[in-house]
Amino acid sequence: MRQIVSILTTLFITATLFAQDSTNPLLTPDGHAQQRWVDSIYNSMSLKEKIGQLYMVQVMSNQDEATKKKIVDLIKEYQIGGVIYSLGGPVRQAKLDNELQALSKVPLLVGMDAEWGLSMRLDSTYAFPWNMTLGAIKDNKLVEQAGRQIGEHCKRLGVHFNFAPVVDINTNPKNPIIGNRSFGEDRDNVTEKASAFMKGMQSAGVLANAKHFPGHGDTDQDSHKTLPTVSFDEKRIDSIELYPYKKLIKEGLSSVMVAHLNVPSLEPREGYPSSLSEHIVTDILKEKLQFQGLTFTDALTMKGAANFSETGDIDLAAFKAGNDVMLMSEDVGIGVSKIAEAYYAGEISEERLAYSVKKVLMAKFKVGLNKYKPIVLKHLIEDLNRLKDDLLYEELLENAITIVQNERDLLPIQQLETRTIAYVGLGDDDGKPFFNELKKYTKVHQIEAPTLDGLTAKLQDYNTVIIGFHRSNANPWKGYEFTEDELQWIDNISKSHTVILDAFVKPYALTSLKSITNIESIIVSYQNSEIAQQKSAQLIFGAIDAVGVLPVSIGQTFPVGHGIHRHAIKRLGYTIPERVGVDSEKLNKIDSLANKAIKGKMTPGIQLLVARRGKIIYNKNFGKHTYEGKEKVAWDDIYDVASLTKILATLPLVMEMEQEGIISLDSKLGELMPEYKGSNKEDVTIKQMLSHYARLSPWEPFYYHTLDSESGRPSDTYYRKVRSKEFDVEVAKNMYLRSDYPDSIQKIIRESELLPKLKYRYSDFPYYILKKFIETYYDRTLEQLVQSHFYEPLGANYTLYNPYHKISNKKIVPTEVDNYYRYREVHGYVHDMGAAMQNGIGGHAGIFSNANDVAKIMQMYLQKGYYGGKQFLLPETVDRFNTSYYSSKDNRRGVGFDKPQLSGDGPTCGCVSFSSFGHSGFTGTYAWADPEKEIVYVFLANRTYPNADHNLLLKENIRTDIQSLIYQAIID
């Protein structure tokens, strides 16, 4: 008779579970096939095997053989339903999983805690931002995408259930176990984020799990160690803690994990865990909330449950309460026996058993275990660490970082010329990525001292201090609080300096600040990952928007949802090529050409940079300072950029003067400079000479006139080893030219013959002439003018004349071993002889810079004269100078700018737009900007070292071939 009843009951359960109008999230579109498979498996099982399906045991891929054997025995004897993987590595886990699956009659359901990705448990896998960070993001589509990509990783590793998202509403800042794992304290925001995450993950074919029911967010104890108490009344719990579950259940939530909590308002038995409460699991979750998915206990080995009863009794109590799956039982064998005894004793009906077992089997069918395939090991690590994951991580962090205070609109920092900035790192973790990123925008010094007095003394020379608070990013449970000393230091520094405090921890850390009154700007960056640090630095300087909002309140000062929005001010940012429509793999082909140049001894070293749409997407260094040396090229090394000086120094000042009406493109030399009146150049216009269409001689070896006619070495008539009033022009160390010789250079140019025919002919003379004009007009040196008018406000602090005055030679790349003029290694001094004979400050040469700074100036041009919140040049001014006025005369040149060739070979790859512009330099340098494709390309080299005899870079088309590869990499 019992067998007949059992069959009838099973048929009833089956009909209920597979009803087409069911809201069961485990039901598949091909429900009939699912039903047939579930029934066939269920009917073929013994009672012990059926009960075994209710268990999911913990497995670690780094476990020893003895532990592994226990798992194998459980599979063979009890046909357990699944495993939950913990610590180890992805390849080891995949191999172990394939082995365990092969042993199981019915494929195992595989689960993992992968709340922020597989890296929660495994090495060599991807870590996405924590939920608290995601909670700061307003665009829920990004959170959905995070859920999807985590789901894709899980699926690739054969994981069917991810025990995520955490839907606990973290209303208690002192919660020791949830904290960063929560999306925040606002029930609506938590619900929206959890919903988005769930949808994304389940769209990837991985089943979600909302936890920890009925709500672990407002506890101050860890259920791993004890039984925490939730003391709210039933109404509060229903309106806050249960709110996310209600929505997610309606939206197809696959499973729920029931926590081990003491909830007196829901379970009257004192100290009785919620995971074992029939009222909480069955009456509330299953009946009131109408949840039909799988119900998991939290780990039964946790002290919140394990302290409850004898081994095995807890399993039985959990099942009787209404749970479907017992997670991490202390002893599966005893637990199975206890449940079997209860079954035979009539305490557990066939209906109850079939209900849970069939749900487990339905889940297995839904994730494809009816057609199980082993995990493919090939490319596993690569598939779990994809480019698309990096792309998403960047976007998530950019959208999360939150400005919570910004007095006097300090952020983003503008007027860099007025700022002396120090960085002070606090906390016990690394802040180097933050500091290094800050240095890309302007001059920033790291200040360290063992005492407050020592630090205060060192900070006297700075008016602005950026304090980075860095704590470990290893996991969300790590410490996040300031020490008492750190709080005192912040308080003291903020009383005497403009302060930006950037906290790379969860927001709660800020509640301990002694005062925020004197802190101008406060940023919450949430995590201390490398990308978080880089993006936060970019936000400080206005390379990205500030759009994040607080997912939790910070005391009474900053409420949940608070966030100060600021728009970017068009400073260069740094990102991954695909985010601006460029293929990384294709772009990286540049490496081979750069390495070819190094191996072919075309140049000892290279700095190479590519930017698109205002973002630097490629910034690499190759080779060394010299062929024989040991100093590898670094991003902050500086190169002699040679003729790039024309467009980096002289031209922007000329453009500024033109837009202010001081000169015009049609101004004649005779009108601007009295000494040219009556000369053969008096009618030469600015437009003509800067277009190299003025019959001016291309070059004059001025230095040659100062050499001894017999020895060929510098003549004593012109040079001294010791500086004096009469010999004050420093052309090299301990080599001083006669003070009046720069005037002689001007005289030679002024009196030089014009070329017989008017045609395009490149000449340095215009820049000698304009240097004289500009310096005379302003009564300041070209160096002083370009620094104050452009470099300092641009943050181009690596760009300067005569770097040997300010920078160690270790950071300056040498240009030549001179055996014809200075007879020494040219290092820190300008390579160009004519510029050297003007105290290193030439209008045509003399600037040293790095690729990052050159890119800033080129980007300023590309943005029609705008950069970093300042309009340096008017758009129409840039357009006037970026015009080829004599193209009909076979002259491609703009006014100061080089332009693409009109036909045949030329300065570019032939693949750029004609609106593009740039210049090249004798030392191997090259800079080019294309407004149509929004590309900036910078190539810095010292191909003249040790000598300039053979220009192999030009001969082999290295620079233009690289330019071609850049354009081939564009995908939109």
Side-chain angles (χ1 to χ4, degrees):
M1 182 68 183
R2 177 165 180 158
Q3 185 177 7
I4 296 173
V5 171
S6 176
I7 294 171
L8 292 174
T9 300
T10 301
L11 290 173
F12 174 76
I13 292 298
T14 298
T16 302
L17 289 173
F18 292 95
Q20 291 303 304
D21 61 349
S22 171
T23 56
N24 189 338
L26 303 176
L27 189 64
T28 62
D30 52 346
H32 293 301
Q34 184 183 32
Q35 179 179 339
R36 287 194 299 273
W37 186 82
V38 168
D39 287 346
S40 68
I41 298 297
Y42 185 84
N43 293 334
S44 68
M45 287 179 168
S46 67
L47 177 63
K48 184 167 69 172
E49 290 172 339
K50 290 174 183 177
I51 298 172
Q53 290 294 302
L54 306 176
Y55 282 86
M56 184 174 274
V57 301
Q58 185 182 47
V59 180
M60 300 186 191
S61 56
N62 62 1
Q63 65 196 5
D64 57 30
E65 285 299 315
T67 306
K68 176 184 171 183
K69 185 179 183 302
K70 291 179 182 179
I71 305 300
V72 169
D73 290 344
L74 289 175
I75 293 172
K76 288 180 176 179
E77 184 171 353
Y78 298 102
Q79 287 299 308
I80 55 174
V83 294
I84 174 172
Y85 282 104
S86 189
L87 303 179
V91 175
R92 286 174 289 168
Q93 180 169 310
K95 289 178 178 179
L96 178 60
D97 192 69
N98 287 343
E99 185 179 346
L100 297 181
Q101 292 283 20
L103 294 171
S104 184
K105 291 181 185 178
V106 181
L108 298 161
L109 200 60
V110 176
M112 276 192 76
D113 284 310
E115 295 167 18
W116 57 90
L118 297 172
S119 70
M120 183 173 177
R121 293 289 183 252
L122 302 178
D123 61 39
S124 308
T125 55
Y126 206 87
F128 287 88
W130 303 325
N131 283 358
M132 183 72 76
T133 308
L134 299 182
I137 297 171
K138 295 172 69 176
D139 184 355
N140 290 332
K141 286 293 182 184
L142 290 173
V143 180
E144 182 175 344
Q145 187 60 31
R148 179 173 179 84
Q149 290 183 207
I150 289 173
E152 289 168 355
H153 287 181
C154 289
K155 189 168 185 178
R156 177 65 180 86
L157 193 56
V159 175
H160 313 116
F161 260 101
N162 182 4
F163 293 105
V166 172
V167 300
D168 298 318
I169 299 166
N170 204 78
T171 48
N172 187 341
K174 295 182 179 180
N175 193 315
I177 191 61
I178 304 302
N180 274 322
R181 300 166 66 197
S182 168
F183 290 113
E185 73 177 51
D186 178 75
R187 70 164 199 181
D188 296 314
N189 186 47
V190 169
T191 302
E192 289 169 8
K193 297 297 185 292
S195 172
F197 190 99
M198 175 194 75
K199 289 175 182 176
M201 190 161 62
Q202 294 194 160
S203 73
V206 172
L207 304 183
N209 177 278
K211 61 185 184 184
H212 305 83
F213 189 85
H216 205 324
D218 204 322
T219 62
D220 57 8
Q221 294 175 306
D222 180 357
S223 54
H224 292 82
K225 301 174 181 179
T226 187
L227 183 67
T229 296
V230 177
S231 57
F232 299 116
D233 61 29
E234 187 172 1
K235 183 178 180 182
R236 145 72 197 238
I237 292 172
D238 182 72
S239 63
I240 301 296
E241 275 72 18
L242 298 186
Y243 185 82
Y245 293 95
K246 295 175 184 178
K247 182 176 181 182
L248 268 60
I249 287 169
K250 291 178 181 177
E251 294 177 345
L253 174 66
S254 298
S255 70
V256 168
M257 178 182 287
V258 184
H260 309 309
L261 300 170
N262 177 35
V263 192
S265 63
L266 302 183
E267 173 52 62
R269 285 172 287 184
E270 184 178 353
Y272 200 84
S274 51
S275 54
L276 310 184
S277 167
E278 184 176 2
H279 178 64
I280 291 174
V281 178
T282 298
D283 297 346
I284 296 177
L285 177 58
K286 292 187 171 184
E287 294 181 4
K288 182 179 179 181
L289 302 188
Q290 298 183 326
F291 179 60
Q292 296 187 47
L294 275 177
T295 303
F296 290 81
T297 67
D298 205 340
L300 295 177
T301 52
M302 292 166 61
K303 295 300 182 183
N307 289 345
F308 164 74
S309 186
E310 293 183 11
T311 301
D313 287 343
I314 188 173
D315 300 28
L316 177 59
F319 186 67
K320 284 183 174 181
N323 292 290
D324 300 309
V325 181
M326 272 53 73
L327 192 64
M328 296 168 58
S329 168
E330 284 193 300
D331 192 311
V332 172
I334 295 176
V336 170
S337 297
K338 293 273 188 179
I339 293 174
E341 289 172 10
Y343 177 86
Y344 287 123
E347 297 174 25
I348 296 173
S349 67
E350 173 63 25
E351 177 184 1
R352 171 69 189 92
L353 181 63
Y355 179 75
S356 288
V357 175
K358 288 199 172 187
K359 281 205 290 181
V360 171
L361 295 174
M362 287 178 72
K364 292 187 176 187
F365 186 94
K366 184 162 186 172
V367 298
L369 286 176
N370 58 311
K371 297 178 180 178
Y372 165 75
K373 293 180 181 179
I375 302 164
V376 177
L377 299 179
K378 189 175 182 180
H379 303 308
L380 180 60
I381 297 295
E382 295 89 334
D383 292 343
L384 299 179
N385 296 274
R386 306 167 299 181
L387 172 65
K388 66 184 287 187
D389 302 318
D390 291 334
L391 291 167
L392 179 60
Y393 191 102
E394 274 203 0
E395 196 168 3
L396 292 169
L397 264 296
E398 286 180 2
N399 279 270
I401 298 171
T402 308
I403 299 175
V404 297
Q405 181 153 294
N406 196 31
E407 297 298 322
R408 302 195 301 276
D409 287 331
L410 176 60
L411 298 176
I413 296 177
Q414 300 186 56
Q415 298 176 317
L416 296 178
E417 67 275 20
T418 68
R419 298 282 174 191
T420 51
I421 302 177
Y423 159 71
V424 174
L426 301 180
D428 55 6
D429 205 23
D430 185 21
K432 286 180 182 177
F434 184 53
F435 175 53
N436 288 336
E437 200 78 0
L438 292 172
K439 289 194 297 180
K440 293 177 182 177
Y441 288 97
T442 191
K443 188 179 294 183
V444 180
H445 293 145
Q446 183 169 9
I447 304 300
E448 297 175 302
T451 65
L452 177 58
D453 288 341
L455 188 68
T456 303
K458 289 184 177 182
L459 288 174
Q460 286 180 357
D461 294 333
Y462 302 90
N463 59 28
T464 304
V465 180
I466 299 173
I467 300 175
F469 181 53
H470 308 276
R471 297 297 304 267
S472 175
N473 197 62
N475 63 58
W477 303 286
K478 287 286 187 178
Y480 64 93
E481 295 175 325
F482 293 96
T483 66
E484 280 301 317
D485 283 347
E486 287 170 339
L487 292 171
Q488 188 62 52
W489 287 27
I490 292 170
D491 193 51
N492 276 49
I493 294 169
S494 64
K495 289 175 180 177
S496 55
H497 294 79
T498 296
V499 167
I500 298 166
L501 174 61
D502 200 334
F504 295 91
V505 291
K506 57 187 174 185
Y508 297 130
L510 300 176
T511 58
S512 62
L513 290 173
K514 294 182 180 298
S515 170
I516 62 167
T517 304
N518 295 314
I519 303 175
E520 279 73 15
S521 295
I522 301 174
I523 303 168
V524 180
S525 294
Y526 299 98
Q527 297 186 224
N528 200 42
S529 67
E530 182 176 356
I531 298 298
Q533 293 186 51
Q534 291 169 344
K535 291 301 175 183
S536 197
Q538 292 176 35
L539 180 147
I540 286 171
F541 286 103
I544 60 173
D545 294 340
V547 295
V549 295
L550 286 175
V552 295
S553 56
I554 303 174
Q556 301 298 313
T557 309
F558 303 115
V560 63
H562 169 71
I564 299 171
H565 295 182
R566 284 294 177 266
H567 291 295
I569 53 175
K570 289 195 170 183
R571 284 201 180 102
L572 281 168
Y574 302 81
T575 192
I576 298 168
E578 277 74 7
R579 291 194 67 194
V580 290
V582 177
D583 185 295
S584 292
E585 189 173 344
K586 291 181 178 178
L587 190 65
N588 283 332
K589 291 180 180 179
I590 291 173
D591 292 11
S592 62
L593 280 178
N595 286 320
K596 175 184 175 182
I598 300 298
K599 291 177 182 177
K601 293 199 170 182
M602 303 177 200
T603 178
I606 298 170
Q607 278 183 0
L608 225 167
L609 181 149
V610 180
R612 189 175 193 217
R613 296 175 183 165
K615 305 294 181 184
I616 293 173
I617 54 175
Y618 183 103
N619 191 6
K620 294 185 181 181
N621 311 297
F622 300 86
K624 298 181 292 185
H625 286 199
T626 65
Y627 292 119
E628 305 302 325
K630 296 181 180 179
E631 200 73 43
K632 292 183 178 180
V633 178
W635 77 272
D636 56 350
D637 292 335
I638 61 171
Y639 281 81
D640 181 335
V641 301
S643 283
L644 291 190
T645 300
K646 295 178 172 72
I647 65 169
L648 300 181
T650 306
L651 189 63
L653 290 169
V654 171
M655 295 169 77
E656 186 181 56
M657 296 177 84
E658 190 270 349
Q659 75 181 18
E660 291 176 0
I662 298 169
I663 60 172
S664 76
L665 291 183
D666 295 320
S667 294
K668 298 177 180 179
L669 285 181
E671 299 168 349
L672 299 176
M673 304 175 72
E675 62 266 38
Y676 276 89
K677 203 141 184 77
S679 75
N680 61 359
K681 302 174 184 65
E682 69 173 337
D683 291 328
V684 172
T685 66
I686 298 290
K687 181 198 298 181
Q688 290 169 334
M689 68 179 186
L690 288 183
S691 299
H692 301 283
Y693 196 66
R695 296 172 58 201
L696 298 178
S697 296
W699 183 68
E700 176 70 29
F702 300 111
Y703 79 96
Y704 192 76
H705 305 304
T706 67
L707 301 181
D708 183 87
S709 58
E710 293 184 6
S711 68
R713 289 181 173 270
S715 168
D716 290 342
T717 304
Y718 294 100
Y719 297 94
R720 293 288 187 273
K721 293 181 179 180
V722 178
R723 186 193 297 271
S724 67
K725 185 177 181 181
E726 291 76 21
F727 292 85
D728 195 36
V729 178
E730 188 173 5
V731 298
K733 189 175 182 179
N734 300 325
M735 184 176 176
Y736 298 94
L737 175 65
R738 219 167 65 187
S739 303
D740 61 354
Y741 201 79
D743 291 335
S744 299
I745 291 175
Q746 291 293 329
K747 185 174 183 293
I748 292 170
I749 293 173
R750 191 168 61 249
E751 295 176 356
S752 65
E753 294 294 325
L754 295 175
L755 298 176
K757 185 177 180 181
L758 179 61
K759 62 178 182 178
Y760 164 57
R761 191 67 183 274
Y762 181 80
S763 174
D764 281 343
F765 280 9
Y767 294 90
Y768 284 87
I769 295 168
L770 287 170
K771 173 183 184 291
K772 173 72 172 177
F773 169 72
I774 293 168
E775 291 183 336
T776 300
Y777 181 85
Y778 287 107
D779 194 25
R780 296 177 71 197
T781 67
L782 194 68
E783 177 183 28
Q784 292 169 336
L785 290 165
V786 75
Q787 284 289 348
S788 61
H789 289 215
F790 289 93
Y791 299 162
E792 290 174 5
L794 279 168
N797 56 294
Y798 292 94
T799 307
L800 70 168
Y801 286 100
N802 294 319
Y804 64 90
H805 286 310
K806 297 180 179 179
I807 296 176
S808 165
N809 266 6
K810 289 184 177 181
K811 303 306 293 179
I812 305 172
V813 180
T815 50
E816 188 177 25
V817 179
D818 182 341
N819 61 1
Y820 53 88
Y821 173 38
R822 284 162 282 194
Y823 292 91
R824 69 196 70 195
E825 182 182 69
V826 180
H827 193 183
Y829 292 80
V830 61
H831 173 265
D832 183 272
M833 295 72 73
M837 299 173 83
Q838 300 175 81
N839 251 325
I841 305 171
H844 67 296
I847 285 293
F848 286 71
S849 189
N850 66 354
N852 193 63
D853 270 12
V854 173
K856 294 176 186 178
I857 299 167
M858 298 303 290
Q859 188 68 29
M860 181 269 290
Y861 286 138
L862 197 68
Q863 293 171 177
K864 302 289 188 180
Y866 182 87
Y867 192 87
K870 180 174 181 177
Q871 192 74 50
F872 289 86
L873 301 168
L874 297 174
E876 53 268 32
T877 302
V878 177
D879 289 342
R880 280 195 296 274
F881 280 76
N882 186 29
T883 297
S884 179
Y885 291 97
Y886 303 105
S887 56
S888 62
K889 305 295 184 180
D890 199 28
N891 181 350
R892 68 176 187 264
R893 292 274 179 168
V895 182
F897 295 115
D898 199 358
K899 300 282 289 175
Q901 57 266 39
L902 300 173
S903 61
D905 294 333
T908 75
C909 58
C911 52
V912 300
S913 71
F914 197 71
S915 64
S916 70
F917 55 89
H919 216 285
S920 59
F922 186 76
T923 52
T925 57
Y926 186 90
W928 208 268
D930 188 341
E932 290 189 20
K933 294 296 185 181
E934 298 179 81
I935 290 282
V936 168
Y937 163 41
V938 181
F939 182 106
L940 301 186
N942 57 330
R943 67 101 194 158
T944 50
Y945 195 95
N947 64 72
D949 293 346
H950 305 291
N951 193 345
L952 295 178
L953 282 179
L954 184 63
K955 182 180 179 181
E956 296 292 330
N957 299 315
I958 294 296
R959 295 172 298 185
T960 52
D961 283 354
I962 287 175
Q963 190 175 50
S964 180
L965 288 177
I966 295 168
Y967 280 75
Q968 291 173 37
I970 295 174
I971 52 182
D972 72 44

